[in-house]
Amino acid sequence: FRGEKHFPQGGRARLVVKHMLPQHLEVAELVSRFRDEARLGLMLRHSNIARVLEYWEIDGHHYMVMEEVDGHNLSTVIHSCRQNGLVIPQEVAAYFILGIASALAYMADARGENGESLELVHRDISPSNILVSREGVVRLIDFGVAKASQRETQTRAGYFVGKFAYMSPEQIRGDHVDIRSDLFALGAVAYELLAGDRPFQGSSEYETFNLVLSQEPVPLIEAHEGLHPLLGRIVARCLKKDPDQRYSHPIELVEALNLYFHGAVE
């Protein structure tokens, strides 16, 4: 729901209230996930992560109060461009990716109240979970399936969370995941922004995750005429099957993108 907060001294702020659906209140795991998402959101403070401002439990109902991001998600942006025959300029796509890479760099080093690492992995980086405001600010949302050391709930073995077209190979296999898994997903988003198509898209979920595990996407340089070679190499490194061949920390991706922008300006 959209809402407003009115301040005693005057003025108001536009907010979003996320309310857990009543039919899910009897499912303990879903309630714990919602509570975990709120707890994480209250801890995270970064300009590229949508802020959670308050969490309420009233008469057995659960509410999360968040800042409103007035704009669109990247899924809508990509779909609109496809429908209208438009291409997202590579500098704009790189700017979107830089914002989320900055959020991931913050997440990789985030610590809880006790000072211990949160070991945070979003696990659902996708265009629908990346918002762009009308002012051009990029924000990551929806930590409902995030992996963190300080959660009430942990994912059951054999239970998939996230979207197959953006999952890393290790996430699909059910192996241990760390922030490099999110880098793979961000690489898949970057590829789609630049090429207009997903790097891995089968006719079924089964075919899609097999493509992620065993196939290499068409090189971006072939899918995007005029692409800056450095940007193509950056995305290709994010999409390496072996996490050891990706960037070891998101700050390295941030630095590589800054080098791209420096070269693009010159």
Side-chain angles (χ1 to χ4, degrees), residues 45 58 87 96 98 105-106 117 123 147 233 244 257:
R45 288 290 178 267
I58 303 172
V87 176
F96 292 158
L98 176 60
Y106 165 80
S117 172
R123 294 198 298 184
K147 171 182 173 289
R233 291 195 296 271
D244 289 337
L257 287 167

Side-chain angles (χ1 to χ4, degrees), residues 170-236:
E170 61 269 27
Q171 185 176 351
I172 287 176
R173 290 192 300 264
D175 296 342
H176 170 77
V177 297
D178 56 31
I179 200 69
R180 295 172 300 175
S181 180
D182 283 344
L183 287 176
F184 183 95
L186 184 55
V189 172
Y191 187 104
E192 186 173 3
L193 284 169
L194 291 163
D197 293 307
R198 295 173 178 175
F200 311 101
Q201 184 60 61
S203 58
S204 65
E205 288 189 338
Y206 179 78
E207 185 177 337
T208 296
F209 77 65
N210 272 316
L211 290 174
V212 174
L213 291 173
S214 61
Q215 297 294 317
E216 296 295 335
V218 174
L220 253 184
I221 203 72
E222 298 178 17
H224 187 295
E225 185 178 351
L227 182 72
H228 194 292
L230 176 57
L231 190 54
R233 291 195 296 271
I234 288 170
V235 176

Side-chain angles (χ1 to χ4, degrees), residues 61-115:
H61 290 267
H62 300 263
Y63 304 88
M64 201 185 309
V65 182
M66 308 175 69
E67 67 169 324
E68 181 187 40
V69 180
D70 183 19
H72 299 285
N73 64 41
L74 285 190
S75 182
T76 299
V77 172
I78 292 169
H79 177 74
S80 179
C81 287
R82 285 185 187 137
Q83 292 293 101
N84 293 285
L86 300 174
V87 176
I88 299 172
Q90 59 180 300
E91 296 86 357
V92 174
Y95 167 76
F96 292 158
I97 299 308
L98 176 60
I100 303 305
S102 299
L104 294 182
Y106 165 80
M107 288 164 49
D109 297 331
R111 296 184 176 276
E113 295 177 357
N114 58 6

Side-chain angles (χ1 to χ4, degrees), residues 73 133 135 143 216 237 240 245 261:
N73 64 41
S133 74
E135 294 78 25
F143 284 75
E216 296 295 335
R237 184 168 178 182
K240 292 292 185 183
Q245 295 182 17
F261 279 113

Side-chain angles (χ1 to χ4, degrees), residues 20-162:
M20 189 168 187
L21 293 172
Q23 60 264 37
H24 297 322
L25 293 175
E26 302 302 318
V27 185
E29 182 177 344
L30 295 178
V31 172
S32 293
R33 284 189 180 279
F34 193 88
R35 191 182 291 120
D36 281 335
E37 181 183 2
R39 185 183 295 114
L40 274 175
L42 288 166
M43 283 191 283
L44 301 177
R45 288 290 178 267
H46 189 272
S47 59
N48 296 114
I49 298 175
R51 291 187 62 185
V52 174
L53 305 172
E54 297 178 62
Y55 170 69
W56 301 331
E57 184 177 346
I58 303 172
D59 296 330
H61 290 267
H62 300 263
Y63 304 88
M64 201 185 309
V65 182
M66 308 175 69
E67 67 169 324
E68 181 187 40
V69 180
D70 183 19
H72 299 285
N73 64 41
L74 285 190
S75 182
T76 299
V77 172
I78 292 169
H79 177 74
S80 179
C81 287
R82 285 185 187 137
Q83 292 293 101
N84 293 285
L86 300 174
V87 176
I88 299 172
Q90 59 180 300
E91 296 86 357
V92 174
Y95 167 76
F96 292 158
I97 299 308
L98 176 60
I100 303 305
S102 299
L104 294 182
Y106 165 80
M107 288 164 49
D109 297 331
R111 296 184 176 276
E113 295 177 357
N114 58 6
E116 294 183 1
S117 172
L118 288 178
E119 300 175 13
L120 185 55
V121 187
H122 187 280
R123 294 198 298 184
D124 197 14
I125 302 285
S126 62
S128 60
N129 285 335
I130 298 172
L131 303 182
V132 182
S133 74
R134 298 186 188 278
E135 294 78 25
V137 179
V138 185
R139 286 189 173 89
L140 180 62
I141 62 168
D142 199 347
F143 284 75
V145 298
K147 171 182 173 289
S149 59
Q150 299 176 25
R151 284 186 65 103
E152 292 181 13
T153 53
Q154 300 298 328
T155 304
R156 299 188 302 272
Y159 181 78
F160 288 106
V161 294

